[in-house]
Amino acid sequence: MKPNGIPRRDWLAGTGASLLTLAGSPKIGALPAEPQAPQSSAAEDADRARRMQWWHEARFGMFIHWGLYSVLGRHEWVMENEGIPVAEYEQLAKRFQPKPNAARAWARLAKQAGQKYMVMTSKHHEGFCNFDTKLTNYCAPKQGPGRDLVHEYVEAARAEGLRFGFYYSLMDWHHPDGAHCATNEDARKRFVEYTHGLIRELMSNYGKVDVLWYDVSWPLDARGWESERMNKMVFELQPDIIVNNRNALPGDFSTPEQEIVADKRGRAWESCMTLNESWGYHQADDAWKTPKTIVRNLVYCSHDAGNYLLNIGPKPDGSIPEESVRILTEVGRWTSRNADSIHTQDRCQPHRSNYAGFTRKGNTLYMHVYFWPGETVALAGLKTRVKSAHLLASGQQVKFQQDRFRVRFTGLPADAPDHPVTTIAIECESEPVQDTDYVRRERPRNNV
């Protein structure tokens, strides 16, 4: 993931330009522009819809960043940010000795939080493989852990009935060809074969895999990585898998990072975000998001049919930071009462309120009230007739009054009846549509 405070594309563009200029040689691969989706056939569209149906319904997943950087506890970019030499950083591999089956607690927490899938770092930018591989000794079974950490994660996810995927960083700060591949064709060929080989192992050794989450294509483009061949191999080995857009191809879904932005082209998208400001364990990072913020982010994603991939950064022993547990536990209490409003494939048109957000399932509009106004909750410009309403968490019926400019839900408790967000389920006679411009134009002014 990107370093703090600098947008990924800006940082990589600046760094890549500097390195390639200093090298003084023709570049083999360049930083890609935003991948453009080619025209797909009806059969390809149908297959993608089939593969992604579970993912759209899931809406909420857990991201896990865990590796050698966890030992230092100063952010996952510590090797680069502090300029640590490779030989010095390699020593962390011996100190990385997590307790057995730490992933079981991750999976239990994910399920409790209402998350339906998990994505774990199989290899981050540091180049250390958390899985068993024949291609390098810089991997968990041959270093401090002494075992396959990815295997433990897979078994933990399956035990809780969760889907799972692998994060894989194409960028590699450890491999000798990780930077030279940009300017040396022999290095590129070696590094691409190494990369494809590691991905082949991940796709071959763990049974059915649900997601492949590429990251950081620096310093090559799709041609340099041979990404078409890479994806072809992946789908031959895992025909039901879905892949993201970070190997410089469009993939199945877009990946806005640390922001919630629906894909403008209407493609599937997933917003990945941190619980504090770090992906990997950072012992001094106390900028924790509140449970209310997490719920609001989940609602924002679901409103536009996007997914929310929320990260935890386990400690070096694999335990989850206490604040992460506290936040996700409270979020889980909310999702257990309000799951129907989140796990839906439907996009939602209503969006205007200064104290609420919205999601939709069929003709049911869910109004998520973040800042409870008291005994009356009002919604302007709802053009669809309301048939009934109730508090989603308790099922309690809610009285309402509707005219052509607003609907008012009345007789509510003075204090919010659910925390951190109260959701009102509004049953409409057809798909709910809001038009606040109509209110602005047509509302009588001074009885005129």
Side-chain angles (χ1 to χ4, degrees), residues 20-336:
L20 291 171
T21 299
L22 288 172
S25 302
K27 60 186 178 184
I28 293 166
L31 287 172
E34 182 67 21
Q36 296 299 309
Q39 292 293 323
S40 55
S41 68
E44 290 171 330
D45 290 341
D47 182 66
R48 178 174 291 109
R50 175 192 66 81
R51 290 183 287 109
M52 297 193 70
Q53 182 176 351
W54 72 265
W55 184 85
H56 284 296
E57 294 172 352
R59 281 288 167 256
F60 194 19
M62 175 181 280
F63 218 174
I64 303 105
H65 276 66
W66 195 42
L68 303 187
Y69 44 82
S70 307
V71 176
L72 295 180
R74 297 196 298 274
H75 197 279
E76 73 285 350
W77 278 67
V78 62
M79 182 180 181
E80 178 122 327
N81 286 346
E82 298 184 11
I84 302 173
V86 169
E88 178 182 334
Y89 194 86
E90 284 177 335
Q91 302 310 307
L92 296 175
K94 299 180 178 65
R95 295 169 52 190
F96 186 37
Q97 298 180 346
K99 59 185 179 182
N101 297 307
R104 292 179 182 176
W106 312 345
R108 286 193 295 266
L109 181 61
K111 186 173 184 178
Q112 182 182 1
Q115 295 166 315
K116 302 298 184 181
Y117 63 106
M118 305 170 72
V119 177
M120 175 195 172
T121 48
S122 63
K123 178 179 82 71
H124 201 254
H125 315 328
E126 64 184 7
F128 183 79
C129 297
N130 280 323
F131 58 98
D132 192 12
T133 172
K134 298 177 180 178
L135 302 179
T136 178
N137 290 330
Y138 202 50
C139 64
K142 301 170 187 175
Q143 298 291 335
R147 61 192 192 278
D148 188 332
L149 302 179
V150 165
H151 175 75
E152 292 184 356
Y153 152 76
V154 168
E155 291 302 302
R158 286 183 175 139
E160 297 299 330
L162 299 173
R163 301 269 189 163
F164 69 87
F166 301 140
Y167 165 109
Y168 183 91
S169 173
L170 297 168
M171 178 167 69
D172 192 317
W173 299 329
H174 177 268
H175 194 283
D177 294 324
H180 293 302
C181 62
T183 57
N184 182 290
E185 176 63 9
D186 289 338
R188 187 197 69 83
K189 288 180 178 179
R190 287 193 301 268
F191 190 50
V192 166
E193 288 310 306
Y194 173 74
T195 299
H196 285 218
L198 291 178
I199 294 172
R200 177 178 289 278
E201 289 178 327
L202 286 169
M203 296 297 101
S204 302
N205 298 339
Y206 300 95
K208 185 176 182 293
V209 181
D210 298 298
V211 182
L212 177 56
W213 215 100
Y214 297 114
D215 198 17
V216 187
S217 58
W218 185 93
L220 302 175
D221 59 11
R223 181 178 63 86
W225 285 114
E226 302 180 35
S227 295
E228 292 282 1
R229 180 168 70 91
M230 182 190 298
N231 279 3
K232 183 175 183 292
M233 171 191 68
V234 168
F235 282 110
E236 286 175 350
L237 294 170
Q238 297 285 342
D240 296 327
I241 203 168
I242 60 176
V243 301
N244 74 349
N245 63 338
R246 295 196 180 189
N247 70 339
L249 294 178
D252 294 313
F253 62 98
S254 301
T255 53
E257 182 175 328
Q258 298 289 42
E259 60 181 358
I260 298 172
V261 181
D263 190 281
K264 295 179 181 178
R265 298 158 293 181
R267 301 181 71 241
W269 60 279
E270 174 189 72
S271 180
C272 56
M273 302 182 80
T274 51
L275 268 171
N276 49 12
E277 293 187 2
S278 306
W279 298 96
Y281 175 60
H282 195 321
Q283 59 188 349
D285 184 349
D286 59 359
W288 297 100
K289 295 177 177 67
T290 66
K292 177 181 282 190
T293 295
I294 299 304
V295 170
R296 291 183 68 177
N297 287 346
L298 182 55
V299 168
Y300 288 148
C301 289
S302 296
H303 177 273
D304 289 323
N307 281 24
Y308 187 33
L309 188 63
L310 183 61
N311 183 74
I312 64 168
K315 296 178 181 180
D317 67 353
S319 62
I320 309 166
E322 292 76 8
E323 280 297 293
S324 297
V325 174
R326 181 189 66 79
I327 294 165
L328 287 175
T329 298
E330 185 169 343
V331 169
R333 285 195 285 266
W334 185 88
T335 57
S336 69

Side-chain angles (χ1 to χ4, degrees), residues 339-341 343-346 359-366:
D340 284 349
S341 67
H343 301 296
T344 168
Q345 293 196 48
D346 296 330
T359 56
R360 176 180 71 90
K361 179 177 286 187
N363 293 342
T364 302
L365 176 66
Y366 297 101

Side-chain angles (χ1 to χ4, degrees), residues 364-427:
T364 302
L365 176 66
Y366 297 101
M367 186 174 185
H368 304 273
V369 184
Y370 310 135
F371 309 120
W372 190 253
E375 297 176 359
T376 299
V377 170
L379 174 59
L382 187 64
K383 304 293 288 183
T384 314
R385 188 176 73 85
V386 175
K387 300 193 314 185
S388 66
H390 64 276
L391 297 176
L392 185 57
S394 66
Q396 178 184 339
Q397 292 297 306
V398 175
K399 296 178 181 179
F400 66 93
Q401 302 165 356
Q402 185 175 17
D403 59 34
R404 64 193 182 107
F405 298 112
R406 64 177 176 170
V407 57
R408 299 170 70 239
F409 303 97
T410 61
L412 294 163
D415 297 324
D418 196 10
H419 296 279
V421 171
T422 296
T423 301
I424 303 174
I426 306 167
E427 304 295 340

